[in-house]
Amino acid sequence: MMFFFSFPTLVVVLVWLPIVMPFTIILTDSGTPSALVDAPQTGFSMNKNGARTNPREQAAVYEIMKATGNGWATDIPDVCRGRWHGIECMPDKDEVYHVVSLSFGALSDDTAFPTCDQKRSFISPAITKLPHLRTLFFYRCFSYNPQPIPTFLGQLGPTLQTLVLRENGHVGPIPTELGNLTSLKVLDLHKNKLNGSIPVSFKRLTHLKSMDLSVNRLTGQIPGLNNPGLSILDLNQNLLTGYIPPSIANCPSLLKMDLSRNHLSGPIPDEIGYLRNLVLLDLSYNQLLGPLPSALGKLGALQALILKGNPMDSTMITGNWFDGLKDLMILILSDTSLHGPIPESLGLLPSLRVIHLDRNKLNGSIPTSFLELKGLSELRLNDNQLTGQVPFVRETVWKMGQKLRLYNNTGLCYDPQNGLDDDIDSLVISGISYCETSRSTSIPTTMHLSNGLGHKSIFEWRSSAQICSTSIGLQVLLLMMLLLGNLM
């Protein structure tokens, strides 16, 4: 059976906007039908051969439910046949039902898992009396009663495949005993108050497909990784230090790797080139140094590359660095001390939607190849040392609007013959003026004049820039304005 839980984090299949998307965990049991149904049922229901829940497991469920503030469960004669959301049972060959999944916490208005009494709830040791348990899920259950993650959860090792303890306010270190959960496929400890290091015992979790330890207070280094089936690794917003381990090469199935907002240092390892399935790579806001490894160009499936806020040691983008990133949609390299010109090859990536190269030391001109980026919707090149003519046409400027940021590049200019005069306000705000070679050409100007009676009209006046720069030209202009006012 398949269970679906949606969370506000990044989806496995990345689309270009927004960057933050719902993230779905899929919990898969065997293909055997489940006893869990959608509608509540009163009383006890027994099938023709008298199948019942294992009595020892039923007693354990009563204890677990009482520990979470759900004492009403003790009135249900058979917990597997009582049919409430949050419990899932499976029959064995003797038609005895066993508890395989327990879930607590209100994910949404449409999710009817039993809620927890946040001031008094705790995880009962009776969980260890459920020998067939595959999924254990607690969401926002202990927020006002902070408690460590119980070490006895490590006793669920033979069967537990999914452990989600999300936004519960858990404190203290991650128990080393969790390394005994050798069948674990999903481990989600997102947004607690956990400290200490990532247990070395996690190297035994070789069946992991998703590990989310994000938004905690974890310290120390990222331990060696040996998870060939791992598709999601999310350690963002912790206090982790040291290098990105070269052992990431042992995780070739990675789709998402988010190590952002830590204190990681050193270079990006060349071994990252082995992650050929990677869709999202976010290493932003660390202390990583350059140069950018050429191995990044081997990530042909990459759709989002986010390195913002790393010093990168005055890295220069080489001309062919992006050639292999044909699926790249989001490129964010702000505040990375990049210098040198922007390569023309960047404009040859047909899927690009968002480019942030702001607050660097880039020079030279904006590549004319950017005209080929038909899907580009956001471009930040502000606070660099760019020069030359802005290559964009009117439609591009209109489409991006305020998401086109070019200010604090004193050498940039634009040619009014490109049809950008209608967008002069946004260009002036960006500190961009006419190119010198265009000043002798005709510049259309629209004037709004009034005759004092409140009536307005529009007068289209065309002249050369040289006329407006002389006193005779100014006098002619003033005379025309006075005559027009008298005629109104």
Side-chain angles (χ1 to χ4, degrees):
M1 178 172 181
M2 302 185 74
F3 242 73
F4 296 89
F5 300 120
S6 295
F7 302 111
T9 179
L10 193 67
V11 74
V12 171
V13 180
L14 180 72
V15 294
W16 71 271
L17 282 176
I19 296 177
V20 177
M21 296 291 291
F23 165 44
T24 302
I25 293 177
I26 303 177
L27 311 181
T28 305
D29 291 326
S30 68
T32 310
S34 167
L36 183 67
V37 298
D38 293 335
Q41 176 179 312
T42 58
F44 169 65
S45 174
M46 191 187 310
N47 64 16
K48 292 180 181 179
N49 58 11
R52 289 178 177 272
T53 301
N54 178 286
R56 189 169 181 266
E57 294 181 42
Q58 171 145 318
V61 171
Y62 286 159
E63 291 184 44
I64 296 166
M65 293 292 281
K66 285 190 290 186
T68 57
N70 293 288
W72 52 265
T74 58
D75 294 330
I76 299 175
D78 189 295
V79 294
C80 283
R81 308 296 287 175
R83 300 184 180 184
W84 81 76
H85 282 77
I87 186 171
E88 184 177 356
C89 301
M90 305 285 285
D92 62 18
K93 59 183 178 60
D94 298 320
E95 291 300 318
V96 175
Y97 278 86
H98 301 282
V99 178
V100 297
S101 177
L102 283 176
S103 300
F104 298 89
L107 288 176
S108 67
D109 293 339
D110 299 325
T111 305
F113 295 157
T115 57
C116 303
D117 183 338
Q118 295 189 357
K119 295 181 179 179
R120 292 187 291 273
S121 292
F122 63 94
I123 300 177
S124 170
I127 283 176
T128 60
K129 299 176 183 178
L130 302 175
H132 302 275
L133 194 65
R134 301 177 186 176
T135 297
L136 184 61
F137 182 97
F138 286 93
Y139 176 66
R140 293 184 178 177
C141 278
F142 320 110
S143 303
Y144 299 104
N145 182 26
Q147 54 196 267
I149 295 174
T151 59
F152 58 72
L153 293 181
Q155 299 176 34
L156 301 173
T159 60
L160 196 67
Q161 297 181 14
T162 298
L163 177 61
V164 177
L165 304 175
R166 192 177 180 91
E167 298 186 38
N168 286 314
H170 287 299
V171 296
I174 300 173
T176 301
E177 289 79 359
L178 295 190
N180 296 329
L181 304 176
T182 53
S183 298
L184 207 61
K185 295 181 180 179
V186 175
L187 176 62
D188 188 339
L189 307 179
H190 167 79
K191 201 173 184 180
N192 287 290
K193 298 177 181 178
L194 299 168
N195 56 30
S197 59
I198 299 172
V200 177
S201 63
F202 277 15
K203 67 182 180 181
R204 299 201 296 269
L205 306 181
T206 56
H207 297 291
L208 271 183
K209 296 185 180 297
S210 174
M211 182 166 68
D212 187 345
L213 309 180
S214 60
V215 195
N216 280 288
R217 302 169 182 172
L218 300 175
T219 56
Q221 299 185 4
I222 300 173
L225 300 169
N226 185 24
N227 308 92
L230 190 67
S231 59
I232 296 171
L233 176 63
D234 194 341
L235 305 178
N236 86 83
Q237 294 192 53
N238 279 288
L239 304 171
L240 298 170
T241 56
Y243 290 2
I244 298 173
S247 59
I248 59 171
N250 298 328
C251 306
S253 300
L254 272 176
L255 299 175
K256 169 189 175 181
M257 184 165 74
D258 188 347
L259 309 180
S260 63
R261 298 181 183 273
N262 281 285
H263 301 299
L264 301 174
S265 57
I268 300 172
D270 287 333
E271 286 78 3
I272 205 161
Y274 290 100
L275 307 181
R276 301 297 177 87
N277 297 305
L278 200 62
V279 173
L280 168 68
L281 177 62
D282 190 347
L283 305 177
S284 59
Y285 295 108
N286 280 287
Q287 298 167 16
L288 300 174
L289 301 177
L292 293 173
S294 59
L296 283 172
K298 300 177 181 178
L299 305 180
L302 197 65
Q303 294 184 25
L305 175 61
I306 307 172
L307 303 178
K308 180 178 183 178
N310 286 287
M312 299 308 293
D313 196 25
S314 297
T315 293
M316 185 174 182
I317 306 175
T318 58
N320 60 352
W321 191 84
F322 295 102
D323 288 355
L325 305 180
K326 299 302 182 183
D327 291 336
L328 193 66
M329 303 173 78
I330 298 170
L331 177 65
I332 300 182
L333 301 177
S334 311
D335 295 296
T336 50
S337 300
L338 293 174
H339 74 281
I342 303 172
E344 287 280 343
S345 59
L346 182 58
L348 302 179
L349 301 182
S351 300
L352 270 177
R353 301 291 185 271
V354 176
I355 303 176
H356 291 184
L357 301 176
D358 50 303
R359 295 190 295 275
N360 283 297
K361 301 174 184 177
L362 297 170
N363 55 30
S365 59
I366 301 173
T368 55
S369 61
F370 276 23
L371 283 170
E372 302 301 319
L373 298 175
K374 304 303 182 182
L376 192 63
S377 63
E378 187 169 333
L379 176 64
R380 297 183 185 180
L381 300 177
N382 54 282
D383 296 282
N384 279 288
Q385 300 163 14
L386 299 174
T387 58
Q389 182 175 306
V390 175
F392 305 117
V393 296
R394 177 189 302 174
E395 289 75 17
T396 305
V397 176
W398 280 357
K399 183 172 67 173
M400 285 192 279
Q402 294 184 355
K403 293 182 179 180
L404 173 62
R405 301 184 183 182
L406 305 176
Y407 55 85
N408 290 343
N409 286 285
T410 55
L412 286 179
C413 64
Y414 78 97
D415 186 346
Q417 290 185 330
N418 287 349
L420 296 183
D421 272 23
D422 291 337
D423 302 284
I424 191 170
D425 290 343
S426 62
L427 291 170
V428 169
I429 291 173
S430 296
I432 300 173
S433 58
Y434 299 141
C435 295
E436 289 294 332
T437 56
S438 303
R439 290 190 179 277
S440 61
T441 61
S442 294
I443 302 171
T445 303
T446 300
M447 295 185 178
H448 298 269
L449 304 175
S450 174
N451 63 358
L453 297 177
H455 302 293
K456 295 182 178 180
S457 64
I458 297 177
F459 171 65
E460 292 286 333
W461 172 71
R462 292 182 178 269
S463 177
S464 68
Q466 290 95 331
I467 293 178
C468 291
S469 65
T470 64
S471 59
I472 295 176
L474 291 174
Q475 292 174 13
V476 171
L477 175 60
L478 291 173
L479 179 59
M480 293 175 65
M481 292 173 66
L482 288 173
L483 289 172
L484 183 60
N486 289 333
L487 292 173
M488 293 291 180

